[in-house]
Amino acid sequence: MSMSFSEQLRRNAEPWWSGAVEHPFTVQLGDDSLPNAVYLRYLLQDYAFIGTLADHAALSIAAAPDMASKGVLAGFLAALTSAENDYFERSFAALGLEPAQYRAPALNPVAQLLAREMRDAQACGYADMIVVLACAEWVYLSWAQREAQKAPPTRFWLHEWIELHVLPEFEAFVAWLRAQLDSFGDLNAADRERLEQRFSRMAWLEQAFFDVLLTEQE
């Protein structure tokens, strides 16, 4: 039985894929041992990045080839701008930050590279835009599924972040993204190679994003 294109992309993205999914940051998050100062740095960067991700999702909706795809992506965008945004605001409040402190933080160098990768994908079209989304969201589903098997962290901002990424709706969205990736396996060799390179770059960036958070701790 031949390997699906999504699985091919994941395997070709090693060692960065496993480096992101199994990163000490994600393990410490699930163990409830991650220092608040480190998680707050993460939240600030991720919240700044969520705006970029929401824009990317909106542009993906516009580029989607059919109404069914537009509907799935619209559901993801709705979750980003409602439940997920609410989580961030409650977490910042619990960690003692005022809105002025988290609404426009400067992006660190890796977050800037992630934003650039998204802009580059947007210039290339729908398949590239889906590859960026699929890698990022599949990484989060993968580590969250592992950490959800542990006793939940006592701090709600850690516990709920895991929960958000193992919701049935999120699992279904990642399954849909993987099916989209599989459909790109019919593209020509040059397009497939470009998508493989983009997926691997995204996996590397996801690992690097976690790396820099723990490096800043030292």
Side-chain angles (χ1 to χ4, degrees):
M1 185 175 175
S2 61
M3 188 186 303
S4 67
F5 190 52
S6 60
E7 188 60 25
Q8 232 179 293
L9 292 173
R10 187 191 68 79
R11 292 198 182 188
N12 289 344
E14 294 293 0
W16 307 291
W17 174 270
S18 293
V21 171
E22 298 166 13
H23 200 281
F25 177 88
T26 67
V27 175
Q28 291 174 28
L29 193 161
D31 285 346
D32 207 2
S33 61
L34 193 67
N36 279 342
V38 176
Y39 195 66
L40 185 53
R41 279 203 299 274
Y42 167 75
L43 280 184
L44 283 167
Q45 289 298 304
D46 208 50
Y47 192 62
F49 187 69
I50 285 291
T52 302
L53 183 59
D55 291 345
H56 186 86
L59 290 168
S60 299
I61 294 168
D66 52 61
M67 290 301 290
S69 299
K70 290 178 188 295
V72 174
L73 290 163
F76 174 66
L77 179 58
L80 279 180
T81 55
S82 56
E84 198 157 317
N85 186 66
D86 174 69
Y87 160 82
F88 276 104
E89 292 188 348
R90 286 186 295 106
S91 298
F92 284 131
L95 288 162
L97 259 67
E98 298 293 331
Q101 295 173 278
Y102 64 75
R103 290 223 168 123
L107 289 175
N108 69 31
V110 178
Q112 290 178 37
L113 288 174
L114 276 163
R116 185 184 304 169
E117 188 68 31
M118 288 195 163
R119 289 193 297 271
D120 184 67
Q122 291 156 14
C124 289
Y126 180 72
D128 291 73
M129 294 161 80
I130 291 297
V131 164
V132 165
L133 269 183
C135 183
E137 304 310 320
W138 192 3
V139 161
Y140 270 67
L141 173 65
S142 299
W143 71 253
Q145 285 176 325
R146 182 193 65 240
E147 298 306 314
Q149 302 307 308
K150 301 176 180 177
T154 56
R155 290 168 284 175
F156 84 79
W157 47 88
L158 302 182
H159 175 45
E160 288 189 20
W161 193 234
I162 296 169
E163 280 193 332
L164 276 170
H165 292 97
V166 292
L167 289 171
E169 296 87 348
F170 185 68
E171 291 181 342
F173 179 59
V174 174
W176 179 82
L177 288 170
R178 289 188 62 181
Q180 292 288 290
L181 295 181
D182 291 339
S183 74
F184 303 150
D186 295 332
L187 297 173
N188 63 51
D191 286 338
R192 287 198 309 274
E193 182 179 0
R194 187 187 71 252
L195 297 180
E196 286 173 9
Q197 291 173 353
R198 190 176 301 286
F199 192 95
S200 292
R201 273 198 309 277
M202 277 298 297
W204 175 81
L205 285 166
E206 290 292 338
Q207 178 183 342
F209 187 69
F210 293 143
D211 281 344
V212 75
L213 294 166
L214 294 187
T215 301
E216 289 174 354
Q217 181 185 5
E218 297 171 358

